[in-house]
Amino acid sequence: MGSSRPTLRKRIDDRASISREMVGEAEAIFHGHLKRVGLKLTGQRDAILRTFLDTRDHLSTDELYRLVKKHDERIGFTTVYRTLKLLAECGLASEVAFNDGVTRYEHKYNRRNHHHMVCTECGSSVEFFSRDIERIEQEVGRKNKYLPTRHTFQIYGVCERCQKKQKRSLA
Amino acid sequence: MGSSRPTLRKRIDDRASISREMVGEAEAIFHGHLKRVGLKLTGQRDAILRTFLDTRDHLSTDELYRLVKKHDERIGFTTVYRTLKLLAECGLASEVAFNDGVTRYEHKYNRRNHHHMVCTECGSSVEFFSRDIERIEQEVGRKNKYLPTRHTFQIYGVCERCQKKQKRSLA
DNA sequence: TTTGCTGCAAAATGTTTGCACGACC
DNA sequence: GGTCGTGCAAACATTTTGCAGCAAA
């Protein structure tokens, strides 16, 4: 979609929570999806969507559940779990696997395709963008006669902070 | 490490089981590792290593356990589980996450760095090689002051066979 | 009013650990 | 002979499902 270099836009793309208009658009997408598949719009589902959009990326189901609960004590884990699946279905959320044993979700709405580099010491992560990855996905698919639909790419390593920490503990 | 185009070598690299000499080398590596960290060489550990080397890639702990059991009924799941960890420690095995909820392992010994494209319909996978990925790992690490140690890269899609199956069921 | 939603509790799944007995060095 | 390995069983962590009461359309 967007083609020019990211400048100001990047500020928005890199932020976890998104602007008010975007929340509105996301809600519209979600509501449309619910109607399309014959599901109902409920207070819980709305609350979960809002909390999800309003928060940093890479939430596990349990983490989102705890956040949602702060706003409404009476929302259960199961509902958060199932709502996340719905959000993934309509493209508002996507799973990211950091291979730490839990499934995480991040917003997908209006964000450039990006990847993650994860610190294996402290779990922090930074995002990066790479056109090459998309190109490789297409190329490899073509060569092997696969119809590629998605990919995962994560780099694991040690962040600057933890490198320093390690050096200090050696000294 | 190999730099020229893979020709005959590819036949070996792409096969799941490895040659007899390689098994010997792998055993030497394993035995060396055991000695180094003060662990004992046992019949079970040897049997598990052999079965692992002799079998196709991408085994879950449970799958390897079932295979090992065919040769020796009395080897337990726990031992397989722990031995796989040992093999990963000394570099003979590495975890691959296909995001299907189970941790899988593949041989790492004497194989080129490679990646997987996985069919989301039937679970089959093909391997591919890409220099770009290694380059990107280094670049991104440098830019973000991370010390990169490893990465995961999988492409998901639909294989030719399953594409045809889908077309047929539509007709 | 009907249909689907909610949330509890329990099942299912996969991974990891404690411990008593037995095997290796 | 002592130490570590083994395998059972049980603990754990996470995801998923059945069901009775409740709420949206």
Side-chain angles (χ1 to χ4, degrees):
Chain A
M1 321 282 166
S3 58
S4 52
R5 260 171 298 129
T7 49
L8 279 176
R9 179 54 162 288
K10 193 167 187 304
R11 293 298 307 160
I12 294 171
D13 280 350
D14 281 358
R15 291 297 78 211
S17 66
I18 65 183
S19 70
R20 201 163 300 279
E21 314 96 79
M22 284 191 190
V23 172
E25 284 188 60
E27 281 177 352
I29 290 175
F30 187 42
H31 297 177
H33 177 71
L34 290 177
K35 186 159 279 183
R36 203 174 319 118
V37 297
L39 298 178
K40 288 170 181 171
L41 173 57
T42 66
Q44 286 96 323
R45 284 179 175 161
D46 242 19
I48 292 165
L49 171 62
R50 276 167 206 232
T51 306
F52 178 64
L53 293 176
D54 192 43
T55 315
R56 71 168 179 75
D57 291 354
H58 319 327
L59 289 168
S60 69
T61 306
D62 192 60
E63 284 165 353
L64 181 57
Y65 164 62
R66 286 165 201 272
L67 286 172
V68 168
K69 227 173 159 177
K70 281 187 193 165
H71 291 113
D72 187 341
E73 177 64 39
R74 300 173 311 168
I75 291 182
F77 178 87
T78 309
T79 304
V80 174
Y81 167 77
R82 288 193 264 231
T83 302
L84 270 173
K85 297 244 153 188
L86 287 174
L87 293 175
E89 265 177 39
C90 67
L92 290 171
S94 69
E95 293 190 7
V96 272
F98 284 174
N99 300 336
D100 61 348
V102 285
T103 306
R104 295 173 183 284
Y105 293 84
E106 63 179 6
H107 324 157
K108 206 175 173 174
Y109 183 61
N110 230 18
R111 303 202 68 206
R112 287 174 65 198
N113 244 318
H114 65 278
H115 303 97
H116 303 280
M117 182 155 61
V118 184
C119 177
T120 51
E121 296 299 311
C122 66
S124 68
S125 63
V126 300
E127 297 178 354
F128 63 92
F129 304 91
S130 170
R131 291 247 153 150
D132 291 330
I133 301 292
E134 326 289 331
R135 199 202 66 232
I136 291 168
E137 173 173 330
Q138 295 307 315
E139 272 179 21
V140 173
R142 185 157 28 77
K143 270 186 205 159
N144 294 279
K145 300 191 195 295
Y146 268 60
L147 198 66
T149 51
R150 64 194 174 86
H151 63 260
T152 63
F153 182 41
Q154 274 106 44
I155 302 175
Y156 298 91
V158 183
C159 72
E160 195 177 16
R161 196 189 162 89
C162 288
Q163 285 176 51
K164 284 182 183 163
K165 210 175 287 175
Q166 288 178 344
K167 262 185 211 155
R168 236 175 288 135
S169 70
L170 280 178
Chain B
M1 305 294 167
S3 56
S4 53
R5 261 171 298 129
T7 52
L8 280 177
R9 179 54 162 287
K10 193 168 188 303
R11 294 297 308 160
I12 294 171
D13 280 352
D14 282 357
R15 290 299 76 209
S17 67
I18 64 182
S19 70
R20 201 162 302 276
E21 314 95 82
M22 283 189 190
V23 172
E25 285 188 60
E27 280 175 354
I29 290 175
F30 187 43
H31 298 177
H33 177 70
L34 290 177
K35 184 160 281 182
R36 204 174 317 119
V37 297
L39 299 177
K40 288 171 182 171
L41 173 57
T42 66
Q44 286 96 323
R45 283 177 176 162
D46 241 18
I48 293 166
L49 171 63
R50 277 168 204 233
T51 306
F52 178 64
L53 293 175
D54 192 42
T55 316
R56 69 168 180 77
D57 292 354
H58 320 327
L59 289 168
S60 68
T61 307
D62 191 61
E63 283 165 354
L64 182 57
Y65 164 62
R66 286 165 200 273
L67 287 172
V68 168
K69 226 175 161 179
K70 281 186 195 168
H71 291 113
D72 188 341
E73 177 64 40
R74 298 175 313 170
I75 292 181
F77 177 87
T78 309
T79 306
V80 175
Y81 167 78
R82 288 193 264 230
T83 303
L84 270 172
K85 298 245 151 187
L86 287 174
L87 292 175
E89 267 176 38
C90 67
L92 289 171
S94 68
E95 294 191 6
V96 271
F98 283 175
N99 300 334
D100 61 349
V102 284
T103 306
R104 295 173 182 285
Y105 294 83
E106 64 178 5
H107 324 158
K108 207 176 176 176
Y109 184 60
N110 229 18
R111 303 204 67 205
R112 287 173 63 198
N113 243 317
H114 64 279
H115 302 97
H116 303 280
M117 181 154 61
V118 183
C119 177
T120 50
E121 296 300 310
C122 67
S124 70
S125 64
V126 300
E127 298 178 352
F128 63 91
F129 305 92
S130 170
R131 291 246 152 153
D132 291 331
I133 301 293
E134 326 290 329
R135 198 202 66 231
I136 292 167
E137 175 174 330
Q138 295 307 317
E139 272 179 23
V140 172
R142 185 157 28 78
K143 271 186 204 158
N144 294 279
K145 299 190 196 293
Y146 268 59
L147 198 67
T149 51
R150 64 193 173 88
H151 63 260
T152 64
F153 182 41
Q154 276 106 42
I155 302 177
Y156 298 91
V158 183
C159 72
E160 194 176 16
R161 196 188 161 89
C162 288
Q163 287 176 50
K164 284 180 182 163
K165 209 175 289 174
Q166 289 178 343
K167 265 184 207 156
R168 237 176 288 134
S169 70
L170 281 177

